[in-house]
Amino acid sequence: MKAAAFSYTRATSVVNALELLAAHGDRAKVLSGGQSLMPAMNLRLISPELIVDIGEIAELRGIAVRGDILTLGALTRHVELLKSPEIATHAPLLTEAIAHVAHPAIRNRGTLGGSLAHADPASELPACMVALNATVVVRGQTGERRIAAEEFFTGIYETALSAQELLIAVELPVAQENSAYFFHEFARRHGDYAIAGLAAQAIVHADRFADLRLAFFAVGDRPVLANAANRLVDVAVTPVILADASAVLDEELQPHKDHQASASMRRHLAKVLLARCISALLGRTDLGGGESA
Ligand SMILES: Cc1cc2nc3c(=O)[nH]c(=O)nc-3n(C[C@H](O)[C@H](O)[C@H](O)COP(=O)(O)OP(=O)(O)OC[C@H]3O[C@@H](n4cnc5c(N)ncnc54)[C@H](O)[C@@H]3O)c2cc1C
């Protein structure tokens, strides 16, 4: 199928893009890498009248470290995330996760901003942003808003962005001393969207978690920052404590069923991921992390 007829314009700057979005409202759509937008248009799931191509706006590009903050421009492509030495040093969780996003041809075009604005609940990058406690920077004609990643994702393909705003950048706190991370997903084939996944960032001190952020994906309508983590912080984790955290996780997840897996299968996989994550981060073999899915 082909997309319905549409008009196309290339924005020359952020200001220009915001003017176009303000003038055309819900009838316009931003084009970034096109890897989600174009398939959706070709399937006629959406039929915008105007495409505003932001792909040439230089001010939306770039990876920079300033003090304790790593800033990633919205137009940073997946392949650039994968190859960046700054990201490998300061946010290695992202380097590991991005290798699971689609395939090289898609990673060559797809962008960070597009992935976050698209907000597929089975997507890797939104969960990483929640795990890393990122701030999403968005701009409209009336100014800039800074939104915590865990509040940015509001539902399936839904975010706090309005149709007149652009996602400009993401800011991440750089990894601290004693930082550790975990990423794993279950997918039918490498590069497919996950059936269930977990991105985690922790601070481990003297064999305990001083901080632990567990962001599950593909098990709810958005990335889930699990409260179960609270049961595991500042305690000597035992199998009983881990089982307690697992029960809390079970209560807070709302997985869906689809052609890939039932809701109960997704719950089971999430609990397997939790055990593997805690075992790996604490370097313990007695916590059930070797359990197979
Ligand atoms: C076969 C296939 C497999 C894939 N597998 C995966 C996978 O395993 N995991 C995964 O995470 N993704 C996967 N993707 C999606 C891919 O990662 C996309 O690149 C990404 O979701 C969207 O990025 P994009 O730059 O292409 O955005 P686009 O397609 O250009 O845009 C996506 C949406 O975001 C909006 N948008 C884009 N940029 C901005 C901005 N700066 N401000 C405001 N709104 C904006 C657009 O209007 C549109 O609604 C897959 C895609 C394909 C085709």
Side-chain angles (χ1 to χ4, degrees):
M1 208 189 284
K2 288 281 178 210
F6 61 90
S7 303
Y8 169 94
T9 185
R10 180 171 284 173
T12 52
S13 64
V14 169
V15 170
N16 178 228
L18 293 176
E19 283 166 358
L20 289 162
L21 293 177
H24 294 274
D26 289 346
R27 289 168 288 127
K29 267 285 185 190
V30 171
L31 173 69
S32 203
Q35 299 304 298
S36 296
L37 182 65
M38 297 320 293
M41 287 174 64
N42 286 339
L43 290 168
R44 305 233 175 161
L45 297 173
I46 52 169
S47 300
E49 290 173 17
L50 176 70
I51 291 297
V52 178
D53 185 350
I54 61 169
E56 297 295 316
I57 302 179
E59 60 196 289
L60 294 178
R61 295 198 177 281
I63 297 171
V65 186
R66 291 184 200 93
D68 291 344
I69 301 293
L70 174 64
T71 303
L72 311 175
L75 280 182
T76 309
R77 295 195 193 281
H78 300 335
V79 67
E80 293 166 336
L81 295 175
L82 185 63
K83 293 185 175 167
S84 160
E86 290 91 348
I87 292 174
T89 304
H90 298 297
L93 169 65
L94 266 187
T95 308
E96 178 148 347
I98 199 78
H100 295 266
V101 176
H103 310 284
I106 292 154
R107 295 200 292 263
N108 286 341
R109 297 291 313 165
T111 66
L112 172 64
S115 180
L116 302 186
H118 187 57
D120 188 315
S123 221
E124 291 81 0
L125 294 182
C128 288
M129 294 302 140
V130 171
L132 291 168
N133 203 9
T135 301
V136 182
V137 183
V138 309
R139 200 179 297 163
Q141 280 204 307
T142 54
E144 202 160 273
R145 296 196 293 144
R146 308 167 75 75
I147 307 165
E150 61 195 270
E151 286 161 19
F152 181 75
F153 304 101
T154 55
I156 300 177
Y157 305 122
E158 285 180 9
T159 70
L161 267 176
S162 80
Q164 284 79 39
E165 287 177 315
L166 271 188
L167 195 159
I168 298 291
V170 169
E171 294 174 350
L172 302 171
V174 301
Q176 299 174 32
E177 210 184 332
N178 299 327
S179 283
Y181 67 91
F182 173 90
F183 181 91
H184 192 75
E185 68 178 36
F186 294 110
R188 296 246 171 238
R189 296 169 307 183
H190 185 89
D192 282 3
Y193 278 104
I195 297 171
L198 172 58
Q201 181 77 11
I203 297 177
V204 182
H205 184 67
D207 298 328
R208 294 182 181 208
F209 292 113
D211 189 31
L212 177 63
R213 292 177 69 87
L214 302 170
F216 288 86
F217 55 103
V219 288
D221 68 352
R222 68 196 82 177
V224 179
L225 183 64
N227 290 321
N230 298 335
R231 304 292 174 115
L232 300 163
V233 173
D234 282 335
V235 291
V237 177
T238 62
V240 171
I241 287 175
L242 182 57
D244 179 40
S246 193
V248 172
L249 179 68
D250 205 19
E251 280 175 27
E252 60 186 324
L253 295 182
Q254 303 283 338
H256 60 286
K257 67 170 182 184
D258 62 13
H259 63 286
Q260 296 213 80
S262 64
S264 62
M265 169 63 97
R266 285 193 156 89
R267 270 180 200 284
H268 170 72
L269 293 178
K271 290 192 272 184
V272 171
L273 286 167
L274 176 67
R276 287 189 185 178
C277 170
I278 302 309
S279 301
L281 289 175
L282 293 177
R284 299 256 303 272
T285 52
D286 61 320
L287 295 172
E291 187 189 342
S292 63

